Amino acid sequence: MSMTATKRPARQSGVVEAVPIVGRTWWNGRVTHLVRTVWPSLTVLILVVLAWDRAVVWGEIPSYLVPRPEAVARAAWNDRTSLASAAGLTAQAALCGFALSLVVGSLTALAFATWSWVRRSCYPYAIFLQTVPIVAIAPLINLYPGPGFGSVVLLSWMISLFPIVTGGTTGLTRVPPEWLELFRLYGAGRWTILWKLRIPNAVPHLVTAAKTSVGLAVIGAVVGEMFCASSKSGYGLGYWIQATSRTLEADRAFAYFLTSTGLALSIFLIAGAVGTIVLKAMGDRATLHQLELEYDSNARRRRPPRGV
Amino acid sequence: MSRSDPAVRLTELTVVFGAEAPVILGLGLVVAAGEMVALVGPSGCGKSTVLRVIAGLIAPRSGRVERVSERLGFVFQEANLLPWRTARANVRLGLELGAAGDPPRREWDRRIANQLEAVGLGPEHWSKRPHELSGGMRMRVSLARALAPRPDLLLFDEPFAALDDLSRKQLNHDLNRIRREQGWTGVFVTHNVEEAVYVSDRVLVMAANPGRVVAEVAVPLAYPRRHPRREDGDFLTIRDEIDAALRGVVETVAVGASA
């Protein structure tokens, strides 16, 4: 009786009871965040696999066209050694291509931002790299440099370069004019502005570009292995996807294909995590705000204020 | 340079952007060393342009710009802090860009700490990044950055316009104190007449189309000035005089527009 009597007036008068946020540690916020992020996509994955399995069984689709998920899992287990080494090789090629893109793309962006005549004369060719279909250029790469790991890296580099160039150029050139005015006020030269202003300003843009680029690098490596693989350099996932498809070993083809997808996803997530660390170390306003807002909203969802 | 020597002298200054009518026409301005001059006027009368001409960021079409001061500081309307730098590192930027060997690098840390203390930002905020600071704190960092190279001349382009009234008054007060301690010359652009009176020794009222000085009001109020002084008779008399000049400017524009 007394409890009810004391609580009701407080609610009626609009007084909100203060709720201490208990157990608000960084890890439980992150775990909740992870569960909230992963759970929806995991549910979709499970539903897709179930639908796939049922479609094959009920539709009586021949296994050489679409194997059951269980057959794919078995094929992956049987081929685990070859699968692991192929994935390793593809990862190496993709990472080499991506690293090359990061270096060459950043230097190109630097040249574009520093000398406008370089940008005007070379930018159309940078766009060419983006617009040319990778499957159209792959046979030519195979023809001239010849098959091998280097050609696979070259294709991976070609397809993953453009985002770095555009992201880097945007970050280096789109500097708020009031910051430039501040530097000019002190008589700062071109290189001081570049080093202290343009490059730090470009980092968030480069991080975003790198996330796009790294996914493309895996695609480039897989396509490159379809056209440019050689016994000397070893066979990556792209080669095996093509080889097993030709022999109608659909279960193995699916296993290699899904591994390449998993590889791309893993590399993308690693790149994203590294990017977030870099941005957080730099104190990137947008990233930090986003993290804090997510954290706060999670905390609020965990413990909604009572009495409202 | 004695106090009566001019730190800045603008003679017959005309500024034109592109093929348009002059933004500023035949403007003359003398700022004595150690003096703080406030510029008030309606939007578009060229107050900020005058500052940018003095700073060398805009070249005038004609006229003379004489600036005795070698070292210049500029406080913008926005704090303009670099988001990837901490408060301390943002102040350091002022030294990196404007110190030119004085003070030597080994003394930078002390200089930065002194300036941050002078603007009233506690050490607990020095390692914070701009987004972790309030608007008033950010402006204090911006002020410390401008002060760090020990400028002879400081230019203020409506620096406290975006702040709440309490923060603005506190910063006005701090600015007066810092100027008394450090003795630099200042030109302060603002829309706020009370602020102009509070921080300056002289207020120039500008009119627009083209930008020119139409009235000059001396502010012979003693330092240190305290906030209650804003309610004093002298303060109000000066404020009303400037208000009247500004009303005249606005009415002239209105009559011109309706004619």
Side-chain angles (χ1 to χ4, degrees):
Chain A
M1 166 70 187
S2 63
M3 277 182 73
T4 318
T6 50
K7 273 191 176 176
R8 269 190 186 156
R11 284 184 186 178
Q12 281 164 358
S13 61
V15 175
V16 178
E17 191 184 338
V19 181
I21 299 173
V22 182
R24 188 182 148 141
T25 52
W26 69 270
W27 59 268
N28 69 15
R30 293 291 154 90
V31 167
T32 313
H33 172 71
L34 199 68
V35 169
R36 282 179 196 279
T37 314
V38 171
W39 179 242
S41 52
L42 202 64
T43 310
V44 170
L45 180 68
I46 292 166
L47 288 175
V48 167
V49 171
L50 281 174
W52 166 14
D53 187 60
R54 289 303 89 199
V56 172
V57 173
W58 293 334
E60 296 177 356
I61 301 170
S63 63
Y64 61 86
L65 283 182
V66 183
R68 290 184 65 184
E70 171 215 358
V72 174
R74 208 178 317 112
W77 177 252
N78 293 339
D79 270 14
R80 59 188 180 278
T81 316
S82 157
L83 207 63
S85 79
L89 201 64
T90 306
Q92 270 180 50
L95 289 175
C96 285
F98 170 65
L100 212 57
S101 285
L102 208 56
V103 174
V104 176
S106 300
L107 291 175
T108 308
L110 213 56
F112 281 5
T114 311
W115 300 288
S116 59
W117 63 269
V118 175
R119 184 165 68 243
R120 282 197 301 274
S121 48
C122 296
Y123 199 69
Y125 303 105
I127 296 170
F128 167 78
L129 278 177
Q130 176 69 4
T131 51
V132 68
I134 193 77
V135 287
I137 201 108
L140 294 175
I141 298 288
N142 193 35
L143 192 65
Y144 298 119
F149 185 75
S151 293
V152 176
V153 170
L154 186 63
L155 276 166
S156 172
W157 169 70
M158 283 179 72
I159 195 172
S160 61
L161 178 66
F162 188 73
I164 302 287
V165 173
T166 48
T169 307
T170 304
L172 288 166
T173 52
R174 263 192 219 160
V175 177
E178 57 273 18
W179 291 353
L180 280 172
E181 200 169 45
L182 172 75
F183 275 69
R184 277 203 291 269
L185 184 81
Y186 287 108
R190 166 185 286 194
W191 300 110
T192 306
I193 292 175
L194 182 70
W195 184 244
K196 291 185 190 291
L197 182 60
R198 290 190 189 278
I199 290 178
N201 185 63
V203 171
H205 294 263
L206 272 175
V207 166
T208 309
K211 284 198 249 180
T212 310
S213 170
V214 80
L216 290 171
V218 177
I219 294 172
V222 170
V223 173
E225 284 164 351
M226 288 179 175
F227 288 89
C228 308
S230 77
S231 56
K232 200 171 144 193
S233 59
Y235 297 115
L237 292 170
Y239 169 83
W240 285 112
I241 290 169
Q242 201 175 42
T244 50
S245 300
R246 279 185 186 148
T247 52
L248 297 181
E249 296 171 278
D251 51 349
R252 293 182 71 201
F254 266 68
Y256 283 103
F257 155 69
L258 289 174
T259 306
S260 71
T261 310
L263 177 71
L265 187 68
S266 309
I267 292 180
F268 177 80
L269 289 175
I270 291 167
V274 171
T276 306
I277 291 167
V278 169
L279 288 179
K280 211 173 170 191
M282 278 191 71
D284 176 74
R285 193 185 344 208
T287 310
L288 275 175
H289 263 191
Q290 194 186 343
L291 287 174
E292 281 162 8
L293 286 174
E294 281 171 7
Y295 183 85
D296 284 344
S297 63
N298 286 339
R300 274 197 298 277
R301 274 203 294 269
R302 275 199 308 278
R303 282 184 177 274
R306 282 171 283 164
V308 179
Chain B
M1 189 167 55
S2 77
R3 194 176 162 80
S4 56
D5 290 334
V8 177
R9 188 199 301 271
L10 306 179
T11 314
E12 288 296 314
L13 187 79
T14 297
V15 179
V16 182
F17 293 138
E20 292 175 8
V23 177
I24 293 169
L25 184 65
L27 184 138
L29 168 67
V30 178
V31 183
E35 186 187 23
M36 177 74 118
V37 170
L39 298 180
V40 295
S43 296
C45 71
K47 304 184 293 291
S48 299
T49 305
V50 171
L51 287 193
R52 278 163 174 74
V53 169
I54 296 171
L57 293 170
I58 295 174
R61 174 67 60 90
S62 64
R64 282 185 68 179
V65 181
E66 295 165 82
R67 203 179 78 201
V68 176
S69 313
E70 285 293 321
R71 289 201 175 180
L72 186 75
F74 202 115
V75 185
F76 296 88
Q77 188 169 3
E78 297 293 327
N80 272 350
L81 304 180
L82 301 184
W84 54 86
R85 285 181 172 238
T86 61
R88 196 201 315 254
N90 265 293
V91 178
R92 191 182 180 85
L93 182 71
L95 291 171
E96 288 169 16
L97 298 176
D102 178 27
R105 204 168 269 265
R106 64 178 178 280
E107 288 177 23
W108 281 13
D109 285 344
R110 198 188 324 155
R111 173 71 68 88
I112 292 164
N114 287 345
Q115 294 308 329
L116 282 166
E117 277 167 5
V119 298
L121 194 75
E124 68 275 18
H125 301 299
W126 295 358
S127 299
K128 289 180 180 171
R129 292 222 162 78
H131 72 275
E132 297 170 300
L133 301 171
S134 68
M137 287 176 185
R138 281 201 286 268
M139 198 41 81
R140 286 177 192 279
V141 177
S142 176
L143 186 57
R145 179 179 64 193
L147 291 168
R150 292 270 162 85
D152 308 311
L153 175 65
L154 260 169
L155 305 173
F156 299 87
D157 189 6
E158 299 183 52
F160 312 136
L163 302 182
D164 61 274
D165 196 48
L166 198 65
S167 303
R168 177 199 277 255
K169 280 178 177 166
Q170 186 56 50
L171 275 159
N172 286 168
H173 183 73
D174 291 343
L175 191 64
N176 277 351
R177 175 181 48 79
I178 294 165
R179 187 166 73 87
R180 301 298 292 172
E181 286 167 5
Q182 301 184 359
W184 34 263
T185 307
V187 181
F188 195 101
V189 165
T190 178
H191 276 289
N192 187 313
V193 175
E194 285 200 357
E195 182 177 59
V197 176
Y198 191 73
V199 300
S200 73
D201 302 313
R202 194 153 51 97
V203 178
L204 302 180
V205 180
M206 288 183 70
N209 301 321
R212 64 207 185 278
V213 176
V214 291
E216 180 178 333
V217 180
V219 184
L221 301 174
Y223 291 96
R225 294 174 184 172
R226 299 197 184 282
H227 289 302
R229 194 169 272 279
R230 289 188 177 198
E231 306 307 320
D232 288 356
D234 291 346
F235 185 93
L236 294 176
T237 307
I238 297 165
R239 189 197 66 184
D240 291 347
E241 195 179 338
I242 296 164
D243 268 339
L246 270 174
R247 265 199 305 278
V249 167
V250 174
E251 279 161 13
T252 308
V253 171
V255 169
S258 61

